[in-house]
Amino acid sequence: MKRHHSYTIIGGAISALMIALIVLAMFWTPYDPTALSVGPKLDAPSLAHLMGTDNLGRDIFSRVFEGAGTTLTIAVMTVAIGALCGILIGSFTGYYGGPIDLIFMRICDTVTAFPSFLLALVIVSVLGPGKYHVVIALGILFIPSFARIVRGEYARAVTQDYVENAKLMGVSSLRILFVHILPNARSVLFSALAIGFNNAVLAEASMSYLGIGVQPPDPSLGRMLSEAQTYWYSAPWFAICTGLCLVLLILGFTLLGEGLTREAGDHA
């Protein structure tokens, strides 16, 4: 088995495990993630509290996976906005070219010319903190990357024989765009989606850490890490358990994206 296949398998296994735990937390957690004093404050991990409790006596295990669910939801919504808009822009610009291609690509260049995280902070600062404003900000910033990837695939596909044959047979442009070409770009899109999830998770956690993402009482991995750093010496499990969950979530999508990217390169 090739090395890059192992990246896909390991990354997919880690991601599947984390997603399964997050989905479970949507329906059941040992304690209410927002309930105060369900145990002693800053209590060490035990059978009653698998990851211990935080400074307000809340169960860290319940909050970690509830927070991971919030992070994953934001990542899904963010990538959905970026991918859908990016596919539409990239497919039309790559297929038709000409002035429409020039205009949209210059717009993408303008957006990507600014540091993406700084631009997201500016957008959220204008809109105000909150998870839906984070989704809007990150979704806008993800559009250019997806548009460029799709544009490149469509620009190459236009010269392929199957596209020329479809044109000669009188197939409509929309059918060629989304029935003939898009499925052939799926390997590249899958890797872009995995990388996009990874970046969205990291960006949301960073913004929540700074206090402009998910707001209390909703749990967030980034905000929990911010709260945990005060108790690093007295309750290290608070930061370690929260950070480990975030690392595994990011690692899974990173390995999955790397494996899919290598596979796409081998099949190119």
Side-chain angles (χ1 to χ4, degrees), residues 142-195:
F142 275 43
I143 293 174
S145 60
F146 280 102
R148 286 186 174 282
I149 292 171
V150 174
R151 173 185 176 273
E153 291 299 307
Y154 273 72
R156 282 192 291 271
V158 167
T159 60
Q160 299 296 315
D161 291 339
Y162 73 91
V163 175
E164 295 294 339
N165 292 336
K167 290 179 180 178
L168 292 174
M169 294 174 62
V171 177
S172 67
S173 296
L174 286 177
R175 185 173 178 83
I176 292 174
L177 285 171
F178 301 112
V179 176
H180 293 269
I181 300 179
L182 186 59
N184 289 301
R186 63 182 180 274
S187 59
V188 175
L189 278 175
F190 286 156
S191 62
L193 287 171
I195 295 171

Side-chain angles (χ1 to χ4, degrees), residues 229-241:
Q229 67 181 7
T230 305
Y231 306 97
W232 174 249
Y233 293 105
S234 59
W237 56 84
F238 190 177
I240 291 173
C241 293

Side-chain angles (χ1 to χ4, degrees), residues 184-209:
N184 289 301
R186 63 182 180 274
S187 59
V188 175
L189 278 175
F190 286 156
S191 62
L193 287 171
I195 295 171
F197 274 117
N198 175 53
N199 293 335
V201 167
L202 187 58
E204 186 281 326
S206 300
M207 298 178 78
S208 293
Y209 181 87

Side-chain angles (χ1 to χ4, degrees), residues 42 54-55 58 60 209 220-243:
L42 300 177
D54 65 8
N55 56 306
R58 297 172 295 191
I60 294 176
Y209 181 87
S220 165
L221 296 180
R223 179 171 285 277
M224 289 176 68
L225 278 177
S226 178
E227 296 169 350
Q229 67 181 7
T230 305
Y231 306 97
W232 174 249
Y233 293 105
S234 59
W237 56 84
F238 190 177
I240 291 173
C241 293
T242 304

